[in-house]
């Protein structure tokens, strides 16, 4: 019995622990490596969105309405790298693991983009501010630039883990598997009622999306690249 127990323990240490560490260890993606591709072609010819809402102006994507811009492809483990610029009062986001484009809010995870300097967003819950996993986990140690300046996002999704780097600094990491309730987060904070599916049960694949002109303020994106990690 002791030999079997020791063998099982040794197997766990040698085979299982390295896999767990690999799933939870963050390595900042190097966009200079091979394998990165543009999510969208020029003039958004390969994108999914309602006609006339989004436009490509010299490589800068912006919307006239609150309609999301979606990747045509779906992704499993991946990293997405991009620049975004807010305006006064911007409320937008990068959407990952989206499996239902018509009703995406409860069927995806949103990485929040907001003008945290504005009256609207400076006093809300930190889980509603920039670089948060919206409604679930706030960002820390972030350095957000003011409206009119370009920020840089690198979002990595591997298994149930999501890592968010803002302007080159890791500011958030989230294990979706810990979020088993649709009402309260692991820290006891309340989840918005419209996020009706616990993150733990969401599929770990789907489209990548970009929220449009929400709450009356525009958002601008450029240099959107993605790399598949598996």
């Amino acid at each position: 019995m002791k030999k079997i127990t020791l063998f099982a323990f040794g197997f766990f240490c040698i085979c299982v622990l390295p896999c767990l560490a690999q799933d939870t260890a963050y390595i900042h993606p190097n966009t200079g490596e091979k394998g990165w591709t543009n999510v969208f072609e020029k003039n958004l010819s390969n994108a999914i969105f309602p006609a006339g809402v989004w436009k490509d102006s010299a490589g800068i994507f912006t919307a006239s309405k609150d309609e999301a811009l979606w990747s045509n492809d779906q992704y499993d483990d991946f990293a997405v790298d991009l620049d975004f610029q807010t305006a006064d009062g911007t409320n937008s986001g990068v959407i990952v693991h989206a499996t239902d484009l018509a009703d995406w809010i409860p069927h995806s995870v949103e990485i929040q983009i907001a003008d945290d300097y504005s009256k609207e967003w400076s006093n809300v819950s930190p889980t509603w501010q920039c670089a948060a996993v919206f409604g679930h986990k706030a960002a820390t140690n972030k350095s957000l630039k003011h409206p009119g300046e370009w920020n840089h996002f690198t979002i990595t999704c591997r298994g149930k883990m999501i890592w968010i780097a803002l302007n080159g600094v890791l500011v958030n990491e989230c294990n979706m598997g810990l979020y088993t309730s649709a009402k309260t987060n692991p820290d006891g904070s309340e989840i918005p009622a419209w996020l009706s599916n616990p993150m733990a049960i969401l599929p770990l694949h789907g489209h990548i999306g970009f929220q449009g002109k929400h709450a009356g303020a525009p958002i601008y994106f450029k240099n959107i690249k993605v790399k598949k990690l598996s």
Side-chain angles (χ1 to χ4, degrees):
M1 182 64 71
K2 288 183 178 179
K3 289 183 178 180
I4 295 175
T5 303
L6 288 172
F7 174 80
F9 179 74
F11 177 83
F12 179 83
C13 292
I14 295 172
C15 299
V16 178
L17 281 179
C19 293
L20 292 175
Q22 185 177 16
D23 287 341
T24 59
Y26 177 69
I27 301 174
H28 189 78
N30 179 2
T31 56
E33 294 178 341
K34 293 182 179 180
W36 290 89
T37 58
N38 292 324
V39 174
F40 301 116
E41 301 291 344
K42 290 183 178 180
N43 297 319
L44 301 171
S45 59
N46 65 333
I48 302 171
F49 64 97
V53 173
W54 283 84
K55 67 177 182 179
D56 174 2
S57 178
I60 298 174
F61 308 134
T62 190
S64 58
K65 296 180 181 179
D66 186 11
E67 296 283 355
L69 175 71
W70 298 105
S71 67
N72 186 58
D73 293 337
Q74 297 189 51
Y75 300 89
D76 296 294
D77 292 351
F78 67 93
V80 60
D81 189 81
L82 61 117
D83 297 311
F84 70 88
Q85 184 184 120
T86 63
D88 292 336
T90 288
N91 173 20
S92 182
V94 179
I95 307 152
V96 299
H97 301 322
T99 53
D100 185 338
L101 303 190
D103 186 25
W104 63 267
I105 292 175
H107 297 100
S108 64
V109 179
E110 181 182 356
I111 312 306
Q112 177 75 335
I113 294 175
D115 170 21
D116 290 353
Y117 298 101
S118 67
K119 180 179 178 181
E120 295 93 329
W121 304 110
S122 60
N123 296 312
V124 297
S125 164
T127 64
W128 289 39
Q129 293 181 332
C130 202
V133 177
F134 181 80
H136 295 292
K137 189 174 182 186
T140 59
N141 192 36
K142 64 184 178 184
S143 180
L144 178 67
K145 296 181 181 180
H146 286 79
E149 300 180 79
W150 287 102
N151 292 274
H152 193 79
F153 248 172
T154 306
I155 301 166
T156 304
C157 298
R158 189 165 64 236
K160 289 185 177 294
M161 292 298 299
I162 300 174
W163 294 273
I164 304 161
L166 175 64
N167 295 322
V169 177
L170 182 66
V171 296
N172 207 343
E173 55 183 297
C174 180
N175 184 343
M176 293 170 58
L178 301 178
Y179 293 75
T180 57
S181 170
K183 296 185 180 298
T184 56
N185 292 308
D187 64 2
S189 60
E190 186 177 353
I191 298 172
W194 53 90
L195 300 180
S196 53
N197 290 326
M199 278 204 296
I201 70 169
L202 293 176
L204 301 177
H205 71 277
H207 300 269
I208 302 172
F210 304 86
Q211 193 173 17
K213 187 179 182 180
H214 185 53
I219 179 69
Y220 305 94
F221 296 103
K222 68 177 182 178
N223 301 327
I224 306 172
K225 296 181 179 295
V226 66
K227 182 178 183 180
K228 296 180 179 179
L229 303 179
S230 62

